[in-house]
Amino acid sequence: MYTFSSKLKTLSLVLMLVGVLGIGYGFFTAPKTIQDVETILAADSHGHGDSHDSHAVEKHDAKAEAAHKEHLEHVLHQLQNKPWAALYVACLFVMLISLGALAFYAIQQVAQAGWSPVLFRVMQGVTSYLLPGSIIFFVLLLCSGFHLNHLFVWMNDGVTEVGHENYDHLIAGKSGYLNFPFWIIRAILFLTVWNLYRHYSRKNCLAQDESNDNSFYKKNFKLSAAFLVFFIVSESIMAWDWIMSVDPHWFSTLFGWYVFASFFVSGITAIQMVTIYLKSKGYLENVNSSHIHDLSKFMFGISVFWTYLWFSQFMLIWYSNIPEEVTYFKTRIEHFNLPFFGAVVLNFIFPILLLINTDFKRVFWIIVMAGIIILFGHYVDFFNMIMPATVGDRWFIGIPEIASILFFVGLFIYVVFTALTKAPLVPKRNPFIEESKHFHY
Amino acid sequence: MSSTKVIHAIYNDDDILMDAVKQTKKAHHHIEEVFTPFPVHGLDKAMGIPPTRLAICAFIYGCIGLTVATVMMNYIMIEDWPQDIGGKPSFAYYQNMPAFVPVMFEMTVFFAAHLMVITFYMRSKLWPFKQAENPDVRTTDDHFLMEVSVNNNEDELVKFFQNTGAVEVKVVEKH
C-alpha cells in the first residue's frame, strides 16, 4: 500500500492555493469597461510612441469613431477572455492527460499486454483525476454557455438571426450542430461515459483481486473494447466541440486525431512520471527498467506520431493556401510565432534526440527531463489551439496562465496520489501479472 | 606452431546449448564460433559478444541522408533556378521548406536503411556467390554446433564436452 507523503501533499496544496490566488488576480485585473481598455491601449501606445497619438490629430469623422469603438470592444473581449481562456486551456489539458492515460489503459487491457499489468494501478491512479477534472471542465463549459465569457463566438447573441448586428452567415449555416443545447448534451454524454468506464473498469480490476476465476478480467476486456470504440468517436467529436469550435469559421479533417495524439502522449508521459516517482520512493518493487523502457518507447513513438499529424495538417493547408483554411495558420505564425514553432521543437526535436538512444530510455533523469519537456510542449500545443481565437494578439503567458496550470497540476497531484493510497499497487489475480513481473526486454 | 585442430560439439536443444556455452566460458575454453539454425535468445550475452553498433551507424547514415536532401533541394530549387512554380516562395530554403520535408524524410530513411543493410553485409561478410561456411549441414535444420579450439588438451576437451550433454563430439582439422 502506498502512503501519500506529507511533503507531496503540502506541495499539491501550495500549488492549488497559489493557483487560486493567481486565477483570482487574473479575473480581478481584467478590464471591465471600454474606458479601461482605452487607458490600457493608451499606455501601450506611449510605449511604442506611434500610431495612437496620431489618431488624435486625425479628423474624427463618424466612421473612424465607429471603427475605433469597434476596435475597443474587440480588444475588451479579448482581454476579458484572457483569464477565462487561461483557465480553460489548463483545465482541458490536465483533464485530457487523464483521458489519454485512460485510453492507454484500455488499449493495454484489450491488447492483453504482458508487460503492463504491474502498472495498471498506477494508470488507474492517473485516470482518477478524470472525475474531478471533468466536473470542473463541465462547469467551465456551462459558464461559456451562460455568457459569462466570450470564448465561443458562435454562442454570441444573434449570430444566427438574420438582420441582427452579430449575424454571421457561416455560423448560422452550422447552427444545426453548433447550438448550445446539443453541444452541452454531447459534453454530458462523453464525460459521463468516459467516467463510467473508468469507474467500472477500476471496480472490476479490484474485484478480480478477490475472485476465484477470471470472470472480472473478461468483463474488463469486453468493457475496454467497447470503450475504445466509443472513445475514438467521442474523442473526435470532443475535439470539434471544445477546441475547433473556438474558430467556428475554420475546419480540418484530421483535427480529432491530432488532438488525440497530443493528449495521448501527455497521458503516457504522466504515467511514466508517476511510475518513476513511485519507483524512486521504493513502492513498485516489480517494476524494472524494462517497464520504464517500454513506456519511454511509447513516449518517443507517440511524440513522433503527434509531429506527423501536426505537420500533415500544417503542410496540407500551407501548400494549397486556400484563404478560408489558411487564416488559421496565418494568425498563429504572425502572432504566435514562438509558441507555434516552439511547440514543434519541444514536442519533436527534444524527444527524438533524448529518447532515441536505447540506454537513455532507462535513465531516470533523462526520462524525467524529456517528460517535463513533452508535458510543457503539449500545454503550449493546447495554448496554440485555444488562444489565437479567444485572446488573439493579446496573448501572454503571465500570471493567469501560470496560476491556472499550477492550480490544476496541484489538484492533479492531490487526486492522483490520494487514489493511489486506496488500493495495493500490484493487482493480485490478473492473468498476465506473473508475466508482467518477470517482464524483461 | 599451435594446433589447427578444433572440437565440434553438437547439441540438439537450445537450452542444453546455452548451459554448455556457460560451462565452457566458466572453464575458460575459447569458443571460436557457435552455429545455430535460428536465433537463440541470450546466446550473445552468454558468449560475451559485445553489443552491435549498427544502430549508431544507421543514425549517422540518416543524418547524411538528411544533409544530402537539404543540400540537393536548396541547390536545385533555391540557388540554381528559383522559378515561381504555382506561387510557392522560392526566395529562401526555409520559406518553402514544408514542400521539401517529404523528400527530406524519405531520404533520411532511405540512407539510414540501405547503408545500414550494406554495412551489415560487409561486416558479416555476406554477398552473392559467397562460399558457405557451414561446418555441418544439420546446423541449418535442427542441430546446434559449438566450435572450440584445441591446445594440446584434446582428450580433456572431448571428455568435457561429452559431459555437457552433447549428442556428438568431433575433433576436426581446421582448414
Side-chain angles (χ1 to χ4, degrees):
Chain A
M1 284 300 258
Y2 169 69
T3 42
F4 199 167
S5 85
S6 60
K7 250 192 206 161
L8 196 63
K9 198 175 225 164
T10 319
L11 174 74
S12 68
L13 293 173
V14 168
L15 285 176
M16 278 192 272
L17 187 69
V18 172
V20 166
L21 289 176
I23 293 168
Y25 172 81
F27 279 102
F28 184 71
T29 51
K32 309 280 177 301
T33 59
I34 288 192
Q35 278 74 40
D36 294 348
V37 177
E38 212 145 9
T39 48
I40 290 170
L41 287 182
D44 269 4
S45 68
H46 275 296
H48 301 299
D50 53 4
S51 61
H52 247 74
D53 289 333
S54 60
H55 266 272
V57 195
E58 269 173 32
K59 272 185 280 173
H60 266 190
D61 52 71
K63 212 172 161 194
E65 187 75 20
H68 182 59
K69 204 163 162 5
E70 204 172 307
H71 172 66
L72 287 179
E73 202 159 333
H74 181 64
V75 174
L76 174 68
H77 281 177
Q78 289 184 329
L79 289 176
Q80 283 182 333
N81 266 345
K82 224 175 148 283
W84 283 104
L87 201 60
Y88 186 81
V89 171
C91 181
L92 179 65
F93 177 60
V94 181
M95 183 194 76
L96 289 183
I97 285 180
S98 63
L99 182 66
L102 189 68
F104 187 72
Y105 167 76
I107 291 171
Q108 297 298 315
Q109 296 263 4
V110 172
Q112 305 190 333
W115 65 277
S116 53
V118 288
L119 295 172
F120 277 177
R121 293 287 150 83
V122 178
M123 296 183 199
Q124 286 167 0
V126 174
T127 58
S128 66
Y129 176 77
L130 188 62
L131 183 62
S134 46
I135 291 171
I136 300 174
F137 182 68
F138 186 70
V139 171
L140 275 183
L141 292 184
L142 285 180
C143 289
S144 291
F146 294 128
H147 303 293
L148 295 177
N149 56 49
H150 302 276
L151 290 183
F152 297 91
V153 191
W154 57 268
M155 286 178 181
N156 282 355
D157 282 331
V159 273
T160 58
E161 271 172 59
V162 185
H164 195 281
E165 58 164 346
N166 282 341
Y167 179 69
D168 185 319
H169 185 63
L170 291 175
I171 294 177
K174 296 180 182 183
S175 61
Y177 181 79
L178 282 184
N179 60 74
F180 178 68
F182 190 26
W183 180 80
I184 204 74
I185 288 170
R186 287 196 299 268
I188 293 171
L189 175 72
F190 300 159
L191 294 172
T192 312
V193 176
W194 297 340
N195 277 296
L196 283 179
Y197 168 69
R198 138 80 209 173
H199 176 75
Y200 283 107
S201 161
R202 160 112 172 153
K203 211 173 140 185
N204 286 339
C205 190
L206 293 179
Q208 175 68 27
D209 274 7
E210 311 301 329
S211 150
N212 300 316
D213 57 7
N214 286 335
S215 59
F216 286 106
Y217 171 78
K218 287 176 186 163
K219 247 184 217 169
N220 248 1
F221 178 87
K222 287 177 196 158
L223 197 62
S224 304
F227 166 74
L228 283 172
V229 174
F230 179 83
F231 171 76
I232 201 63
V233 177
S234 58
E235 187 279 328
S236 205
I237 298 175
M238 165 280 274
W240 310 334
D241 280 3
W242 302 341
I243 301 173
M244 201 157 76
S245 86
V246 294
D247 281 295
H249 285 182
W250 181 79
F251 43 84
S252 164
T253 356
L254 59 69
F255 195 73
W257 322 325
Y258 165 66
V259 171
F260 167 68
S262 192
F263 71 76
F264 192 52
V265 70
S266 310
I268 295 168
T269 307
I271 295 171
Q272 174 78 294
M273 306 281 261
V274 175
T275 308
I276 284 181
Y277 173 80
L278 292 175
K279 176 76 187 162
S280 68
K281 295 281 171 207
Y283 284 105
L284 296 169
E285 51 175 329
N286 293 310
V287 172
N288 57 42
S289 63
S290 294
H291 295 103
I292 303 291
H293 188 140
D294 261 32
L295 281 172
S296 300
K297 277 190 280 188
F298 273 106
M299 285 163 64
F300 174 76
I302 310 296
S303 284
V304 177
F305 178 62
W306 173 86
T307 316
Y308 165 64
L309 292 174
W310 179 91
F311 181 72
S312 301
Q313 178 169 270
F314 172 67
M315 195 259 222
L316 278 179
I317 290 174
W318 171 87
Y319 209 113
S320 59
N321 203 20
I322 300 172
E324 69 202 58
E325 289 178 349
V326 88
T327 48
Y328 184 81
F329 289 113
K330 266 191 95 67
T331 52
R332 276 157 182 80
I333 290 174
E334 263 172 38
H335 301 309
F336 289 72
N337 201 288
L338 182 64
F340 184 67
F341 292 110
V344 184
V345 175
L346 291 169
N347 295 336
F348 177 61
I349 309 283
F350 278 115
I352 205 170
L353 293 178
L354 284 175
L355 294 177
I356 199 166
N357 188 315
T358 303
D359 298 328
F360 286 1
K361 290 195 195 84
R362 294 163 187 257
V363 182
F364 281 11
W365 68 269
I366 290 184
I367 306 167
V368 170
M369 202 165 72
I372 291 171
I373 291 171
I374 289 174
L375 287 175
F376 176 64
H378 285 281
Y379 169 73
V380 174
D381 187 29
F382 275 84
F383 187 85
N384 287 337
M385 291 191 235
I386 300 291
M387 290 300 175
T390 51
V391 301
D393 56 354
R394 299 275 144 197
W395 73 275
F396 188 69
I397 299 193
I399 290 174
E401 286 79 8
I402 294 170
S404 305
I405 202 75
L406 288 185
F407 172 76
F408 286 107
V409 167
L411 185 65
F412 182 84
I413 293 173
Y414 185 81
V415 172
V416 167
F417 286 92
T418 306
L420 285 170
T421 61
K422 297 281 164 62
L425 288 176
V426 185
K428 247 181 270 163
R429 279 200 81 257
N430 185 297
F432 291 98
I433 192 73
E434 278 311 310
E435 181 182 343
S436 178
K437 280 177 183 170
H438 300 106
F439 173 67
H440 179 74
Y441 169 72
Chain B
M1 193 195 108
S2 66
S3 161
T4 55
K5 281 181 179 168
V6 287
I7 292 258
H8 279 175
I10 300 179
Y11 303 85
N12 57 8
D13 188 285
D14 48 338
D15 286 336
I16 299 170
L17 172 79
M18 281 292 280
D19 288 341
V21 166
K22 280 172 196 159
Q23 287 177 40
T24 314
K25 284 298 279 188
K26 218 172 176 182
H28 294 294
H29 297 306
H30 178 67
I31 302 174
E32 298 272 343
E33 195 68 87
V34 176
F35 296 87
T36 64
F38 53 78
V40 177
H41 189 77
L43 184 61
D44 51 340
K45 275 217 180 87
M47 288 171 69
I49 296 173
T52 173
R53 289 166 298 187
L54 262 186
I56 298 168
C57 291
F59 185 81
I60 295 167
Y61 298 149
C63 293
I64 295 171
L66 185 63
T67 313
V68 168
T70 311
V71 170
M72 176 186 75
M73 286 184 297
N74 183 50
Y75 177 69
I76 297 172
M77 303 300 290
I78 309 296
E79 283 174 10
D80 189 36
W81 197 358
Q83 284 191 99
D84 182 341
I85 304 167
K88 281 205 295 302
S90 50
F91 308 107
Y93 191 77
Y94 78 89
Q95 283 189 319
N96 210 357
M97 204 191 79
F100 301 143
V101 166
V103 180
M104 290 157 74
F105 170 75
E106 293 293 347
M107 289 283 266
T108 309
V109 175
F110 179 86
F111 272 64
H114 288 80
L115 291 181
M116 177 177 73
V117 167
I118 293 169
T119 308
F120 168 72
Y121 286 156
M122 287 168 69
R123 288 292 290 147
S124 50
K125 300 189 175 68
L126 279 176
W127 49 81
F129 310 113
K130 178 192 160 73
Q131 196 68 42
E133 291 169 357
N134 198 343
D136 191 316
V137 285
R138 291 171 298 173
T139 59
T140 63
D141 184 11
D142 60 349
H143 280 68
F144 303 81
L145 187 150
M146 183 173 12
E147 189 178 287
V148 179
S149 55
V150 178
N151 303 310
N152 304 322
N153 50 356
E154 196 180 311
D155 296 337
E156 179 208 336
L157 268 185
V158 171
K159 207 167 257 163
F160 175 81
F161 282 109
Q162 271 160 354
N163 288 335
T164 56
V167 289
E168 202 179 310
V169 179
K170 287 189 293 190
V171 183
V172 290
E173 200 72 34
K174 182 105 173 167
H175 27 263

mmCIF file of all heavy atoms in Angstrom, chain B residues 85-104:
data_model
loop_
_atom_site.group_PDB
_atom_site.id
_atom_site.type_symbol
_atom_site.label_atom_id
_atom_site.label_comp_id
_atom_site.label_asym_id
_atom_site.label_seq_id
_atom_site.Cartn_x
_atom_site.Cartn_y
_atom_site.Cartn_z
ATOM 1 N N ILE B 85 6.889 28.540 -59.096
ATOM 2 C CA ILE B 85 6.066 27.400 -59.505
ATOM 3 C C ILE B 85 4.805 27.416 -58.667
ATOM 4 O O ILE B 85 4.817 27.076 -57.494
ATOM 5 C CB ILE B 85 6.822 26.070 -59.328
ATOM 6 C CG1 ILE B 85 8.129 26.125 -60.115
ATOM 7 C CG2 ILE B 85 5.950 24.901 -59.779
ATOM 8 C CD1 ILE B 85 9.088 25.023 -59.794
ATOM 9 N N GLY B 86 3.722 27.862 -59.261
ATOM 10 C CA GLY B 86 2.441 27.894 -58.555
ATOM 11 C C GLY B 86 2.436 28.816 -57.357
ATOM 12 O O GLY B 86 1.689 28.584 -56.420
ATOM 13 N N GLY B 87 3.283 29.844 -57.395
ATOM 14 C CA GLY B 87 3.246 30.831 -56.326
ATOM 15 C C GLY B 87 3.959 30.419 -55.044
ATOM 16 O O GLY B 87 3.851 31.099 -54.037
ATOM 17 N N LYS B 88 4.698 29.337 -55.071
ATOM 18 C CA LYS B 88 5.415 28.943 -53.856
ATOM 19 C C LYS B 88 6.662 29.789 -53.707
ATOM 20 O O LYS B 88 7.370 30.048 -54.665
ATOM 21 C CB LYS B 88 5.754 27.454 -53.905
ATOM 22 C CG LYS B 88 4.541 26.611 -53.537
ATOM 23 C CD LYS B 88 4.922 25.272 -52.991
ATOM 24 C CE LYS B 88 5.612 24.420 -54.021
ATOM 25 N NZ LYS B 88 4.750 24.219 -55.216
ATOM 26 N N PRO B 89 6.945 30.249 -52.487
ATOM 27 C CA PRO B 89 8.055 31.184 -52.274
ATOM 28 C C PRO B 89 9.402 30.467 -52.366
ATOM 29 O O PRO B 89 9.709 29.622 -51.532
ATOM 30 C CB PRO B 89 7.800 31.724 -50.872
ATOM 31 C CG PRO B 89 7.026 30.650 -50.188
ATOM 32 C CD PRO B 89 6.243 29.941 -51.240
ATOM 33 N N SER B 90 10.200 30.800 -53.382
ATOM 34 C CA SER B 90 11.497 30.139 -53.520
ATOM 35 C C SER B 90 12.637 31.122 -53.262
ATOM 36 O O SER B 90 13.681 31.045 -53.872
ATOM 37 C CB SER B 90 11.607 29.530 -54.912
ATOM 38 O OG SER B 90 11.255 30.489 -55.884
ATOM 39 N N PHE B 91 12.395 32.066 -52.332
ATOM 40 C CA PHE B 91 13.425 33.065 -52.048
ATOM 41 C C PHE B 91 14.471 32.525 -51.089
ATOM 42 O O PHE B 91 15.627 32.907 -51.122
ATOM 43 C CB PHE B 91 12.797 34.325 -51.462
ATOM 44 C CG PHE B 91 11.672 34.843 -52.307
ATOM 45 C CD1 PHE B 91 10.365 34.713 -51.892
ATOM 46 C CD2 PHE B 91 11.943 35.441 -53.524
ATOM 47 C CE1 PHE B 91 9.330 35.167 -52.677
ATOM 48 C CE2 PHE B 91 10.908 35.893 -54.317
ATOM 49 C CZ PHE B 91 9.592 35.765 -53.902
ATOM 50 N N ALA B 92 14.014 31.637 -50.175
ATOM 51 C CA ALA B 92 14.952 31.072 -49.204
ATOM 52 C C ALA B 92 14.474 29.666 -48.901
ATOM 53 O O ALA B 92 13.299 29.348 -49.064
ATOM 54 C CB ALA B 92 14.985 31.913 -47.939
ATOM 55 N N TYR B 93 15.396 28.837 -48.432
ATOM 56 C CA TYR B 93 15.033 27.434 -48.207
ATOM 57 C C TYR B 93 13.922 27.313 -47.181
ATOM 58 O O TYR B 93 12.964 26.576 -47.370
ATOM 59 C CB TYR B 93 16.261 26.644 -47.750
ATOM 60 C CG TYR B 93 16.029 25.150 -47.760
ATOM 61 C CD1 TYR B 93 16.056 24.442 -48.952
ATOM 62 C CD2 TYR B 93 15.768 24.460 -46.596
ATOM 63 C CE1 TYR B 93 15.828 23.080 -48.982
ATOM 64 C CE2 TYR B 93 15.541 23.095 -46.604
ATOM 65 C CZ TYR B 93 15.569 22.412 -47.811
ATOM 66 O OH TYR B 93 15.337 21.063 -47.825
ATOM 67 N N TYR B 94 14.051 28.084 -46.088
ATOM 68 C CA TYR B 94 13.060 27.906 -45.008
ATOM 69 C C TYR B 94 11.666 28.317 -45.465
ATOM 70 O O TYR B 94 10.669 27.782 -44.990
ATOM 71 C CB TYR B 94 13.493 28.680 -43.754
ATOM 72 C CG TYR B 94 13.245 30.160 -43.816
ATOM 73 C CD1 TYR B 94 12.021 30.694 -43.376
ATOM 74 C CD2 TYR B 94 14.207 31.029 -44.302
ATOM 75 C CE1 TYR B 94 11.782 32.045 -43.436
ATOM 76 C CE2 TYR B 94 13.981 32.389 -44.355
ATOM 77 C CZ TYR B 94 12.753 32.893 -43.922
ATOM 78 O OH TYR B 94 12.517 34.233 -43.992
ATOM 79 N N GLN B 95 11.561 29.247 -46.414
ATOM 80 C CA GLN B 95 10.240 29.708 -46.842
ATOM 81 C C GLN B 95 9.455 28.631 -47.562
ATOM 82 O O GLN B 95 8.238 28.590 -47.510
ATOM 83 C CB GLN B 95 10.403 30.915 -47.768
ATOM 84 C CG GLN B 95 10.713 32.176 -47.000
ATOM 85 C CD GLN B 95 10.650 33.369 -47.900
ATOM 86 O OE1 GLN B 95 11.120 33.316 -49.042
ATOM 87 N NE2 GLN B 95 10.074 34.439 -47.408
ATOM 88 N N ASN B 96 10.168 27.763 -48.241
ATOM 89 C CA ASN B 96 9.490 26.715 -48.996
ATOM 90 C C ASN B 96 9.679 25.357 -48.343
ATOM 91 O O ASN B 96 9.413 24.328 -48.948
ATOM 92 C CB ASN B 96 10.028 26.701 -50.427
ATOM 93 C CG ASN B 96 8.974 26.236 -51.417
ATOM 94 O OD1 ASN B 96 7.870 25.880 -51.019
ATOM 95 N ND2 ASN B 96 9.313 26.217 -52.686
ATOM 96 N N MET B 97 10.138 25.340 -47.099
ATOM 97 C CA MET B 97 10.560 24.078 -46.501
ATOM 98 C C MET B 97 9.470 23.017 -46.374
ATOM 99 O O MET B 97 9.738 21.848 -46.636
ATOM 100 C CB MET B 97 11.210 24.295 -45.146
ATOM 101 C CG MET B 97 12.116 23.137 -44.832
ATOM 102 S SD MET B 97 12.701 23.076 -43.175
ATOM 103 C CE MET B 97 11.322 22.402 -42.321
ATOM 104 N N PRO B 98 8.231 23.382 -46.001
ATOM 105 C CA PRO B 98 7.233 22.309 -45.866
ATOM 106 C C PRO B 98 7.132 21.427 -47.098
ATOM 107 O O PRO B 98 6.948 20.227 -46.987
ATOM 108 C CB PRO B 98 5.923 23.076 -45.612
ATOM 109 C CG PRO B 98 6.357 24.323 -44.962
ATOM 110 C CD PRO B 98 7.677 24.676 -45.567
ATOM 111 N N ALA B 99 7.327 22.026 -48.281
ATOM 112 C CA ALA B 99 7.241 21.233 -49.507
ATOM 113 C C ALA B 99 8.413 20.281 -49.639
ATOM 114 O O ALA B 99 8.328 19.285 -50.355
ATOM 115 C CB ALA B 99 7.204 22.171 -50.715
ATOM 116 N N PHE B 100 9.528 20.579 -48.961
ATOM 117 C CA PHE B 100 10.712 19.730 -49.085
ATOM 118 C C PHE B 100 10.735 18.622 -48.031
ATOM 119 O O PHE B 100 11.507 17.680 -48.154
ATOM 120 C CB PHE B 100 11.984 20.577 -48.958
ATOM 121 C CG PHE B 100 12.101 21.661 -49.989
ATOM 122 C CD1 PHE B 100 12.650 22.898 -49.671
ATOM 123 C CD2 PHE B 100 11.651 21.454 -51.292
ATOM 124 C CE1 PHE B 100 12.751 23.882 -50.619
ATOM 125 C CE2 PHE B 100 11.747 22.449 -52.238
ATOM 126 C CZ PHE B 100 12.298 23.666 -51.906
ATOM 127 N N VAL B 101 9.926 18.785 -46.981
ATOM 128 C CA VAL B 101 10.007 17.835 -45.867
ATOM 129 C C VAL B 101 9.761 16.388 -46.293
ATOM 130 O O VAL B 101 10.493 15.492 -45.858
ATOM 131 C CB VAL B 101 9.076 18.272 -44.716
ATOM 132 C CG1 VAL B 101 8.871 17.149 -43.714
ATOM 133 C CG2 VAL B 101 9.650 19.481 -44.024
ATOM 134 N N PRO B 102 8.753 16.090 -47.143
ATOM 135 C CA PRO B 102 8.579 14.688 -47.529
ATOM 136 C C PRO B 102 9.836 14.087 -48.133
ATOM 137 O O PRO B 102 10.195 12.948 -47.842
ATOM 138 C CB PRO B 102 7.437 14.750 -48.556
ATOM 139 C CG PRO B 102 6.651 15.944 -48.162
ATOM 140 C CD PRO B 102 7.657 16.935 -47.669
ATOM 141 N N VAL B 103 10.534 14.867 -48.978
ATOM 142 C CA VAL B 103 11.759 14.358 -49.581
ATOM 143 C C VAL B 103 12.843 14.201 -48.520
ATOM 144 O O VAL B 103 13.565 13.185 -48.483
ATOM 145 C CB VAL B 103 12.223 15.306 -50.707
ATOM 146 C CG1 VAL B 103 13.488 14.793 -51.333
ATOM 147 C CG2 VAL B 103 11.136 15.458 -51.747
ATOM 148 N N MET B 104 12.946 15.191 -47.629
ATOM 149 C CA MET B 104 13.967 15.111 -46.575
ATOM 150 C C MET B 104 13.749 13.864 -45.722
ATOM 151 O O MET B 104 14.693 13.143 -45.383
ATOM 152 C CB MET B 104 13.915 16.366 -45.696
ATOM 153 C CG MET B 104 14.396 17.618 -46.407
ATOM 154 S SD MET B 104 13.734 19.115 -45.646
ATOM 155 C CE MET B 104 14.701 19.197 -44.168
#
